Amino acid sequence: MSTDVFFPEVCVVRVHWKYAAASVAVALIAALSGCAPDPEAVPAEPVVETSVAVASTPPATSTPTPSPTPSAAESVTATPDATETPTPTPTSAALLKEGDDSDEVRELQHRLLQLQWYEGDITSTFDEKTRLAVEGFQTKRGFNATGEVDQETWDKLVDMTRQPTDDEMHNILRAGPALFRKGDSGDEVKDIQARLKQIAWFSGDITGNYGDVTVEAVKGFQKKRGIPVTGEVDQRTLDRLVAMTRTPTTDELNNVVPTASSTSMTLDDRCLSGRVICISKAQRKLAWVVDGKISMVVDVRFGSELTPTRNGVFSVNWKSRDHVSSLYHTSMPYALFFSGGQAVHYSSDFAARGYNGASHGCVNVRDKAAVAKLFDLAQVGDKVVVYTG
């Protein structure tokens, strides 16, 4: 509020009042200028500004003056500056990172080992190999691939694995009691020999006699899997062998050579015309088919539940003989890409571990000679059919 106070032939004093004490100051100003304030001009509500204006002649009438613009102190509001940049939400702090050395790193490495992201001896050092394993694990789950273990990464890893034993974290291998050893015989030995033969650790006829050939085959299998190398089959060895293989057929157990009919497969109707790579998930087979005639059948392996191989009708988009995955940094020889990054290709892991593992969505072939032949036969544009039957 403001009030114009007039004194004849002298001055006009405009007074803005805020507190009662301000009247003293105004009175002093008016006295020095030869004027006196009008007591009726005191506003009912206090305001901020106090000003004095001097005029030589009073106007004929008094015109109300608009309320002044609020001062800087009164202009402060809760509205942020339009140019202000929001502060990014910080990411979770690293629980474990490269350069750390602790028992927690041992646990991390073994949990990654359980998921086949880490290989080799367990150490207490968070080195480059550990960082790359963490990056792979994070990438596959859609996490920020920093290579550092934050709370989200650790919680997911713990949820997917078991607590490793102290022996496991210190690379101590202890053999269990022997279930089968040299000198044993019977159908159980036949089963072991046939399973070892499926993954190329046993050669020759299935005999059912646990002799030197079987001992060496078991030792080789144990050494490759980090199991105590005894040449005897304990529970750990048997469980791993069964997990990596299928139940042997009667023909396999009795050295019956497969006939042509046993290597055939049931084709989807979409595979009956043209040049087709026909892939059955239920039969775990791939066939090269030309105008409905099968000329090749091979065993195949698919992606896991988290990274499934897509079903449908596709075509060979491009070929790469010596391909290396840019995402997983693994070799993919004789790759025939048919759906984005999914391809038919040779897998040394499938050849060594069988169905115990899974791909990241690709169709793995364990017969290297066969997939090399398929690579030469198939052309860009050939049909690829993936089905569940």
Side-chain angles (χ1 to χ4, degrees), residues 185-212:
S185 61
D187 289 340
E188 291 88 350
V189 175
K190 276 190 172 185
D191 185 86
I192 291 169
Q193 290 172 335
R195 288 180 184 274
L196 288 167
K197 193 169 186 174
Q198 287 176 22
I199 52 178
W201 280 109
F202 184 89
S203 60
D205 288 344
I206 306 301
T207 64
N209 297 317
Y210 203 126
D212 291 337

Short mmCIF file of all heavy atoms in Angstrom, two decimals, residues 185-212:
data_model
loop_
_atom_site.label_atom_id
_atom_site.label_comp_id
_atom_site.label_asym_id
_atom_site.label_seq_id
_atom_site.Cartn_x
_atom_site.Cartn_y
_atom_site.Cartn_z
N SER A 185 32.09 -105.68 -13.48
CA SER A 185 31.46 -106.02 -14.75
C SER A 185 29.94 -106.00 -14.58
O SER A 185 29.44 -106.00 -13.45
CB SER A 185 31.90 -107.41 -15.23
OG SER A 185 31.52 -108.41 -14.28
N GLY A 186 29.24 -105.95 -15.72
CA GLY A 186 27.79 -105.96 -15.65
C GLY A 186 27.15 -104.87 -16.51
O GLY A 186 27.83 -104.11 -17.22
N ASP A 187 25.82 -104.80 -16.45
CA ASP A 187 25.07 -103.85 -17.26
C ASP A 187 25.37 -102.39 -16.88
O ASP A 187 25.35 -101.51 -17.73
CB ASP A 187 23.56 -104.11 -17.13
CG ASP A 187 23.13 -105.40 -17.82
OD1 ASP A 187 23.89 -105.88 -18.69
OD2 ASP A 187 22.04 -105.91 -17.51
N GLU A 188 25.64 -102.17 -15.57
CA GLU A 188 25.96 -100.79 -15.15
C GLU A 188 27.27 -100.32 -15.79
O GLU A 188 27.40 -99.15 -16.16
CB GLU A 188 26.09 -100.72 -13.62
CG GLU A 188 24.78 -100.91 -12.87
CD GLU A 188 24.49 -102.37 -12.60
OE1 GLU A 188 25.22 -103.25 -13.15
OE2 GLU A 188 23.55 -102.65 -11.84
N VAL A 189 28.22 -101.22 -15.94
CA VAL A 189 29.48 -100.87 -16.60
C VAL A 189 29.23 -100.60 -18.08
O VAL A 189 29.81 -99.67 -18.66
CB VAL A 189 30.53 -101.97 -16.40
CG1 VAL A 189 31.80 -101.64 -17.18
CG2 VAL A 189 30.85 -102.16 -14.93
N LYS A 190 28.35 -101.39 -18.70
CA LYS A 190 27.98 -101.15 -20.09
C LYS A 190 27.42 -99.74 -20.26
O LYS A 190 27.75 -99.01 -21.21
CB LYS A 190 26.93 -102.17 -20.56
CG LYS A 190 27.47 -103.49 -21.04
CD LYS A 190 26.35 -104.29 -21.69
CE LYS A 190 26.87 -105.56 -22.36
NZ LYS A 190 25.81 -106.27 -23.09
N ASP A 191 26.55 -99.36 -19.33
CA ASP A 191 25.94 -98.04 -19.40
C ASP A 191 26.99 -96.94 -19.30
O ASP A 191 26.95 -95.96 -20.05
CB ASP A 191 24.92 -97.90 -18.26
CG ASP A 191 24.15 -96.60 -18.31
OD1 ASP A 191 23.13 -96.54 -19.02
OD2 ASP A 191 24.58 -95.62 -17.65
N ILE A 192 27.95 -97.11 -18.39
CA ILE A 192 29.03 -96.12 -18.24
C ILE A 192 29.85 -96.04 -19.51
O ILE A 192 30.16 -94.94 -20.01
CB ILE A 192 29.92 -96.49 -17.04
CG1 ILE A 192 29.16 -96.29 -15.73
CG2 ILE A 192 31.20 -95.65 -17.04
CD1 ILE A 192 29.86 -96.86 -14.51
N GLN A 193 30.21 -97.19 -20.08
CA GLN A 193 31.01 -97.20 -21.30
C GLN A 193 30.26 -96.54 -22.46
O GLN A 193 30.85 -95.76 -23.23
CB GLN A 193 31.38 -98.64 -21.67
CG GLN A 193 32.37 -99.29 -20.71
CD GLN A 193 32.57 -100.77 -20.99
OE1 GLN A 193 31.69 -101.44 -21.56
NE2 GLN A 193 33.73 -101.31 -20.59
N ALA A 194 28.97 -96.82 -22.59
CA ALA A 194 28.18 -96.25 -23.69
C ALA A 194 28.05 -94.74 -23.54
O ALA A 194 28.11 -93.99 -24.52
CB ALA A 194 26.81 -96.91 -23.74
N ARG A 195 27.89 -94.28 -22.31
CA ARG A 195 27.78 -92.83 -22.09
C ARG A 195 29.12 -92.15 -22.38
O ARG A 195 29.16 -91.06 -22.98
CB ARG A 195 27.34 -92.54 -20.65
CG ARG A 195 25.87 -92.90 -20.39
CD ARG A 195 25.48 -92.60 -18.95
NE ARG A 195 24.13 -93.00 -18.62
CZ ARG A 195 23.04 -92.24 -18.83
NH1 ARG A 195 23.17 -91.04 -19.38
NH2 ARG A 195 21.84 -92.68 -18.50
N LEU A 196 30.21 -92.76 -21.96
CA LEU A 196 31.53 -92.21 -22.26
C LEU A 196 31.78 -92.19 -23.78
O LEU A 196 32.41 -91.27 -24.31
CB LEU A 196 32.63 -93.02 -21.56
CG LEU A 196 32.72 -92.86 -20.05
CD1 LEU A 196 33.62 -93.94 -19.45
CD2 LEU A 196 33.25 -91.47 -19.68
N LYS A 197 31.25 -93.18 -24.48
CA LYS A 197 31.42 -93.25 -25.92
C LYS A 197 30.64 -92.13 -26.61
O LYS A 197 31.07 -91.58 -27.64
CB LYS A 197 30.97 -94.62 -26.43
CG LYS A 197 31.37 -94.90 -27.87
CD LYS A 197 31.14 -96.37 -28.23
CE LYS A 197 31.69 -96.68 -29.61
NZ LYS A 197 31.59 -98.13 -29.93
N GLN A 198 29.47 -91.76 -26.06
CA GLN A 198 28.66 -90.69 -26.64
C GLN A 198 29.42 -89.36 -26.69
O GLN A 198 29.22 -88.55 -27.60
CB GLN A 198 27.38 -90.49 -25.82
CG GLN A 198 26.35 -91.58 -25.98
CD GLN A 198 25.15 -91.36 -25.06
OE1 GLN A 198 24.89 -90.24 -24.61
NE2 GLN A 198 24.41 -92.43 -24.80
N ILE A 199 30.29 -89.14 -25.71
CA ILE A 199 31.03 -87.87 -25.67
C ILE A 199 32.51 -88.07 -26.00
O ILE A 199 33.37 -87.27 -25.61
CB ILE A 199 30.86 -87.18 -24.30
CG1 ILE A 199 31.19 -88.12 -23.15
CG2 ILE A 199 29.45 -86.64 -24.15
CD1 ILE A 199 31.09 -87.47 -21.78
N ALA A 200 32.78 -89.15 -26.71
CA ALA A 200 34.09 -89.42 -27.31
C ALA A 200 35.21 -89.63 -26.30
O ALA A 200 36.38 -89.33 -26.58
CB ALA A 200 34.45 -88.30 -28.27
N TRP A 201 34.90 -90.21 -25.13
CA TRP A 201 35.95 -90.56 -24.18
C TRP A 201 36.25 -92.06 -24.20
O TRP A 201 37.31 -92.49 -23.72
CB TRP A 201 35.56 -90.14 -22.75
CG TRP A 201 35.78 -88.68 -22.50
CD1 TRP A 201 34.84 -87.71 -22.35
CD2 TRP A 201 37.04 -88.02 -22.39
NE1 TRP A 201 35.43 -86.49 -22.17
CE2 TRP A 201 36.79 -86.64 -22.18
CE3 TRP A 201 38.37 -88.44 -22.46
CZ2 TRP A 201 37.79 -85.69 -22.03
CZ3 TRP A 201 39.38 -87.49 -22.31
CH2 TRP A 201 39.09 -86.15 -22.09
N PHE A 202 35.36 -92.83 -24.75
CA PHE A 202 35.56 -94.29 -24.82
C PHE A 202 35.51 -94.71 -26.27
O PHE A 202 34.66 -94.24 -27.04
CB PHE A 202 34.46 -95.00 -24.02
CG PHE A 202 34.63 -96.49 -23.94
CD1 PHE A 202 35.38 -97.06 -22.92
CD2 PHE A 202 34.04 -97.34 -24.87
CE1 PHE A 202 35.53 -98.45 -22.83
CE2 PHE A 202 34.20 -98.72 -24.80
CZ PHE A 202 34.94 -99.27 -23.76
N SER A 203 36.42 -95.59 -26.67
CA SER A 203 36.42 -96.09 -28.04
C SER A 203 36.40 -97.61 -28.02
O SER A 203 36.76 -98.23 -27.02
CB SER A 203 37.66 -95.59 -28.80
OG SER A 203 38.85 -96.03 -28.14
N GLY A 204 36.00 -98.17 -29.12
CA GLY A 204 35.93 -99.64 -29.17
C GLY A 204 34.56 -100.14 -28.78
O GLY A 204 33.60 -99.38 -28.59
N ASP A 205 34.46 -101.47 -28.66
CA ASP A 205 33.17 -102.09 -28.35
C ASP A 205 32.81 -101.93 -26.88
O ASP A 205 33.67 -101.86 -26.00
CB ASP A 205 33.23 -103.59 -28.69
CG ASP A 205 33.24 -103.85 -30.19
OD1 ASP A 205 32.90 -102.90 -30.95
OD2 ASP A 205 33.60 -104.96 -30.60
N ILE A 206 31.51 -101.91 -26.64
CA ILE A 206 30.98 -101.92 -25.29
C ILE A 206 31.06 -103.37 -24.80
O ILE A 206 30.51 -104.29 -25.42
CB ILE A 206 29.50 -101.44 -25.26
CG1 ILE A 206 29.37 -100.07 -25.93
CG2 ILE A 206 28.98 -101.42 -23.84
CD1 ILE A 206 30.20 -98.99 -25.31
N THR A 207 31.75 -103.57 -23.67
CA THR A 207 32.00 -104.94 -23.19
C THR A 207 31.32 -105.25 -21.86
O THR A 207 31.04 -106.42 -21.56
CB THR A 207 33.51 -105.17 -23.01
OG1 THR A 207 33.99 -104.29 -21.98
CG2 THR A 207 34.25 -104.90 -24.32
N GLY A 208 31.13 -104.25 -21.04
CA GLY A 208 30.60 -104.50 -19.71
C GLY A 208 31.68 -104.88 -18.72
O GLY A 208 31.38 -105.16 -17.56
N ASN A 209 32.94 -104.90 -19.16
CA ASN A 209 34.06 -105.22 -18.27
C ASN A 209 34.87 -103.94 -17.98
O ASN A 209 35.32 -103.27 -18.92
CB ASN A 209 34.97 -106.27 -18.92
CG ASN A 209 34.26 -107.58 -19.14
OD1 ASN A 209 33.52 -108.06 -18.27
ND2 ASN A 209 34.45 -108.18 -20.31
N TYR A 210 35.04 -103.62 -16.72
CA TYR A 210 35.75 -102.41 -16.31
C TYR A 210 37.26 -102.72 -16.32
O TYR A 210 37.85 -103.13 -15.33
CB TYR A 210 35.30 -102.01 -14.91
CG TYR A 210 35.50 -100.53 -14.57
CD1 TYR A 210 34.44 -99.77 -14.12
CD2 TYR A 210 36.75 -99.92 -14.67
CE1 TYR A 210 34.59 -98.43 -13.78
CE2 TYR A 210 36.92 -98.59 -14.34
CZ TYR A 210 35.83 -97.84 -13.91
OH TYR A 210 35.99 -96.51 -13.59
N GLY A 211 37.87 -102.50 -17.51
CA GLY A 211 39.30 -102.78 -17.66
C GLY A 211 40.11 -101.49 -17.82
O GLY A 211 39.65 -100.40 -17.49
N ASP A 212 41.32 -101.64 -18.35
CA ASP A 212 42.23 -100.50 -18.48
C ASP A 212 41.69 -99.41 -19.40
O ASP A 212 41.88 -98.21 -19.15
CB ASP A 212 43.59 -100.98 -19.00
CG ASP A 212 44.36 -101.83 -17.98
OD1 ASP A 212 44.06 -101.68 -16.78
OD2 ASP A 212 45.24 -102.60 -18.39
#
